Amino acid sequence: MPKSFDREEARRDLERLLKGLTYYREWRILMLREAHPEVLEEEIENQVVMPAAVWLAVFDSAKGSRCTQVTDEVRQWHSHTLAELFQIGRSSSEARVAVDNFLLRFQAEVGYSLQSESGAVLKVGKAVLESGRITTEKQYYMLKEIDVDPSSGIFTADEVSKMLTLLRSFEERQQQR
């Protein structure tokens, strides 16, 4: 028998996810302000994800279990955010360090990993396990989370062991370049 929909639980989950998007939004606005001091604040704020209050208002106005669509969209924004961070990180070594530091602070401050909540770790992990090889830096950095926290519960112990081996193999190939 399917579990009945619990709107309060769904809202708590949304609030948890929005804590992460808010953390990213504030960081990204700060970075854009520093890079473009001549641009109006309103224009900068319109370039990043909507504020949490907007998402919550949409959730609260949704009827019945349709509010889960809002949560799904917020999860998609986690994926968009992660993709943007990887793009930023590829622009320079300084940007890579800034992104890496942001992701570490994000997890410490928000209480969850941006990579895992976006669903990207699971998707990339399955693809890497199937191919038996990490082929891109994006895959490497996505799966590096498993190296930091192998007990995350996303994968079985056997899968984690295989991925850790694949991470080391990728690192060795990069050092040989």
Side-chain angles (χ1 to χ4, degrees), residues 120-144 146 155 159-170 173:
V121 173
L122 180 62
K123 182 178 177 183
V124 170
K126 285 183 177 185
V128 163
L129 287 170
E130 187 175 309
S131 71
R133 185 175 170 108
I134 296 172
T135 57
T136 66
E137 284 186 17
K138 184 175 181 179
Q139 289 175 333
Y140 173 79
Y141 283 102
M142 190 80 63
L143 296 176
K144 193 73 175 139
I146 293 166
F155 298 99
E159 290 170 329
V160 168
S161 177
K162 288 176 185 174
M163 278 191 266
L164 292 176
T165 299
L166 294 173
L167 283 166
R168 295 302 154 279
S169 175
F170 182 84
R173 287 194 315 271

Side-chain angles (χ1 to χ4, degrees), residues 66-127:
R66 285 190 158 175
C67 58
T68 59
Q69 293 171 344
V70 177
T71 304
D72 291 345
E73 193 166 334
V74 168
R75 281 190 201 287
Q76 286 180 329
W77 268 101
H78 279 69
S79 293
H80 297 311
T81 297
L82 195 58
E84 183 176 19
L85 286 168
F86 282 121
Q87 185 177 5
I88 291 167
R90 288 201 305 245
S91 66
S92 70
S93 58
E94 295 83 18
R96 162 79 48 79
V97 169
V99 167
D100 288 346
N101 287 337
F102 170 79
L103 289 171
L104 290 171
R105 284 191 320 271
F106 181 98
Q107 188 162 358
E109 294 285 326
V110 177
Y112 65 82
S113 156
L114 182 61
Q115 295 95 315
S116 62
E117 285 299 333
S118 72
V121 173
L122 180 62
K123 182 178 177 183
V124 170
K126 285 183 177 185

Side-chain angles (χ1 to χ4, degrees), residues 22-36:
T22 298
Y23 189 83
Y24 168 76
R25 183 179 199 286
E26 291 170 357
W27 177 81
R28 188 67 180 126
I29 287 170
L30 180 65
M31 296 294 105
L32 289 169
R33 279 188 194 137
E34 288 178 8
H36 306 285

Side-chain angles (χ1 to χ4, degrees), residues 1-62:
M1 186 165 163
K3 183 182 171 190
S4 65
F5 178 72
D6 184 341
R7 189 177 181 94
E8 289 178 22
E9 182 180 324
R11 193 172 202 287
R12 282 191 301 274
D13 188 40
L14 178 63
E15 289 171 348
R16 180 183 65 83
L17 293 170
L18 287 173
K19 181 178 178 186
L21 274 189
T22 298
Y23 189 83
Y24 168 76
R25 183 179 199 286
E26 291 170 357
W27 177 81
R28 188 67 180 126
I29 287 170
L30 180 65
M31 296 294 105
L32 289 169
R33 279 188 194 137
E34 288 178 8
H36 306 285
E38 72 284 357
V39 177
L40 295 174
E41 187 168 327
E42 183 178 317
E43 287 180 38
I44 288 176
E45 289 184 9
N46 288 335
Q47 292 181 29
V48 294
V49 65
M50 294 184 299
V54 174
W55 291 106
L56 289 169
V58 172
F59 178 92
D60 291 339
S61 68

